[in-house]
Amino acid sequence: MNQPADAARPAHDERAAPPLPRPRAPMSLVVLATLAVGFTLWAAQEVILPILLAAFFALVGNPILRLLGRLHVPRFLAALLVITLGVAGTVALTIQLAGPATEWVQQAPRQMRQIANKVRDLTKPVMQANQAAENFARVAGGEGSRRVQVVRTQLDDPYRALVRTPKLAASVLAVVLLTFFFMVYGQSLQRHVIALMPGRQQQRFTADILRSIEREVSRYVLTISVINTLVGAVLAGILYLLGIPVQEAALWGTVAALLNFAPYIGPLIGVVLMLLMGFVEFRDPLAAALPALLYLALHTLEGQIVTPIVLGRRMAISPLMLILALMLFGWLWGMIGLLLAVPMLVCIKLVLGKLEGMQRWARLLE
C-alpha cells in the first residue's frame, strides 16, 4: 500500500523555512532614484508647492478647529470661519503694508547711493592705490590705456506681468481652497488611508502614527507661528519707539516674523535688512546700527530661551541638519522652501521616531 505523499516527506521539511534576506538595491540605483526624486520635486513645484502650503496652513488651523469642536461648532463652519478670518487678516495687512513697502522701495535706492558715496569717500585712498597698481601692471604688460566698454541691453517683455498675474491669482486661490478642504476632509482622508491597511493591527498602528504626527506637528507649527508673530510685533514696537513711523515699523515686523520661520538663515538676512534700514533712516552711525543690534538681541532671546522652554527638547533639531535642510529646500523651491523646510524636517523626525527600527535615524536629526 502506497504511503501518502505528505508522509513520504522528510521531517525537517515540515518546519517553516527561515525568511530570505531582503535584497538590497545597489548604491548606483539609490543615487539615481534620489536624483530622480529631486528633479521631480523641482520640476513639479507648481503643483507640489500649493499642496504643501495648504497642508502647512491646515496644520496651523487644526488646533483651532479642535478647540471649536469642543464648543460643538461643526467642522465645516469652523474651517470656513478660520479661512475667512485668515484671508481677511492677510488682505488687511497687505493693504496696510503696501504703501510703506512701495515708498521704501522707491526711496531706498537714493538713500543707498548717498551711503555708497560716503563709503566711497572713506575708501577713496585705497581705490586710488588699486587704480595706480592696475595702471602700472597694464603699462608693464604692454597694454593700452583704452578699455573696452561692454554695453548691455535688456528687453522688457510687456506681457510678462500680464501672464504672471493670473497664474499668481490662480495659485493663491488653489492654496486657499486646498487649505479649506484639508481642514474639512483631512480626517476622512486619514480614515480612508487607514482602511487600505490589510490587517487590524496594521490599521491601529497606522492610525496611531497619523494621529500623533498630526497633533504634534500641528501643535508645533501653531506654536512657532505664534512665537514668530510675537517676535514681529515686539520688533515693530521697538522700531516705533526708535522713531520709525508705525506703518513702516509694522512692515519690518512682518518681514522679521516671516524670516524667523527659516532658522539661522532668516535672522541673518533680517540683521542685514535692519542694518540697511538703519542707515537709510538715521544719519548717525551708532543710531543706524541700533535696530540691527536690537533685532539680534531679540532673536537671541527668542531662540535660546523662549522657544526651548515652550517646545522643549522633544522637537529639537540638529543645527547642521537645519542648515542642510534649508539649503536643500531653498535651492529647490526658493523662499517657500525656506518656509516649509523646518516643519517638513520635524514631520520626518516624528515619522522616523514612530517606525520600528528607524529610531536611530530620528536620533541622527537631534
Side-chain angles (χ1 to χ4, degrees):
M1 184 175 179
N2 295 330
Q3 294 181 350
D6 295 338
R9 293 178 181 174
H12 64 274
D13 289 342
E14 295 179 357
R15 292 177 298 179
L20 296 176
R22 189 175 180 180
R24 300 183 62 181
M27 183 58 64
S28 59
L29 186 60
V30 174
V31 172
L32 290 176
T34 304
L35 293 177
V37 171
F39 177 77
T40 303
L41 292 176
W42 173 79
Q45 57 182 309
E46 293 186 359
V47 178
I48 296 175
L49 289 185
I51 298 175
L52 292 179
L53 276 177
F56 174 79
F57 293 138
L59 287 174
V60 174
N62 275 342
I64 304 175
L65 295 181
R66 285 194 290 268
L67 178 61
L68 294 176
R70 296 190 187 99
L71 300 176
H72 305 288
V73 179
R75 192 172 184 86
F76 181 87
L77 294 179
L80 185 61
L81 177 63
V82 171
I83 290 292
T84 303
L85 292 178
V87 172
T90 303
V91 172
L93 185 63
T94 303
I95 293 174
Q96 291 294 325
L97 300 182
T102 304
E103 183 179 357
W104 195 89
V105 169
Q106 292 175 353
Q107 293 181 357
R110 178 174 55 84
Q111 299 289 342
M112 294 307 298
R113 282 194 296 269
Q114 296 178 1
I115 297 172
N117 292 332
K118 295 180 181 179
V119 175
R120 191 179 300 112
D121 292 338
L122 294 176
T123 60
K124 190 174 182 179
V126 179
M127 295 176 63
Q128 289 177 350
N130 291 334
Q131 185 66 33
E134 290 180 2
N135 293 334
F136 178 78
R138 191 179 298 110
V139 171
E143 297 180 3
S145 59
R146 180 178 300 176
R147 292 184 177 180
V148 178
Q149 295 183 354
V150 179
V151 179
R152 297 180 179 179
T153 59
Q154 181 178 358
L155 297 177
D156 295 330
D157 188 0
Y159 300 101
R160 184 176 299 176
L162 296 178
V163 174
R164 287 181 177 178
T165 302
K167 291 178 64 176
L168 179 61
S171 299
V172 172
L173 181 61
V175 170
V176 173
L177 291 178
L178 285 173
T179 303
F180 177 74
F181 289 133
F182 274 138
M183 288 181 176
V184 176
Y185 302 106
Q187 293 181 346
S188 176
L189 180 62
Q190 287 186 11
R191 289 194 296 268
H192 291 317
V193 171
I194 294 171
L196 295 176
M197 299 294 106
R200 187 174 297 276
Q201 183 177 1
Q202 292 181 347
Q203 290 181 357
R204 286 198 300 267
F205 179 70
T206 305
D208 178 64
I209 290 180
L210 292 178
R211 192 179 301 110
S212 60
I213 288 175
E214 188 271 334
R215 288 183 177 273
E216 293 183 13
V217 173
S218 61
R219 189 181 299 115
Y220 168 81
V221 172
L222 179 62
T223 304
I224 288 296
S225 301
V226 172
I227 291 176
N228 294 343
T229 302
L230 293 177
V231 168
V234 172
L235 180 63
I238 292 174
L239 294 178
Y240 177 72
L241 293 178
L242 292 178
I244 305 298
V246 59
Q247 289 187 336
E248 188 173 347
L251 170 65
W252 292 113
T254 304
V255 171
L258 294 177
L259 289 176
N260 216 38
F261 280 99
Y264 304 107
I265 296 179
L268 180 61
I269 298 174
V271 169
V272 175
L273 291 177
M274 289 297 104
L275 192 61
L276 294 177
M277 185 271 296
F279 278 105
V280 170
E281 295 290 340
F282 303 102
R283 302 297 181 184
D284 185 26
L286 294 178
L290 188 58
L293 294 176
L294 292 176
Y295 171 75
L296 183 60
L298 178 63
H299 169 69
T300 303
L301 178 65
E302 175 268 326
Q304 301 299 323
I305 298 178
V306 177
T307 300
I309 291 177
V310 174
L311 293 178
R313 299 295 303 173
R314 188 167 53 89
M315 292 293 184
I317 301 293
S318 168
L320 177 59
M321 292 300 173
L322 276 177
I323 294 296
L324 293 177
L326 290 170
M327 292 176 60
L328 176 61
F329 290 106
W331 173 69
L332 282 175
W333 299 327
M335 291 300 297
I336 299 179
L338 294 177
L339 174 67
L340 298 175
V342 178
M344 292 181 65
L345 195 61
V346 170
C347 185
I348 292 173
K349 179 185 175 182
L350 290 175
V351 172
L352 294 177
K354 292 291 182 179
L355 295 178
E356 185 178 357
M358 303 296 291
Q359 287 81 5
R360 289 179 297 178
W361 291 96
R363 287 194 294 269
L364 181 64
L365 300 178
E366 296 179 353

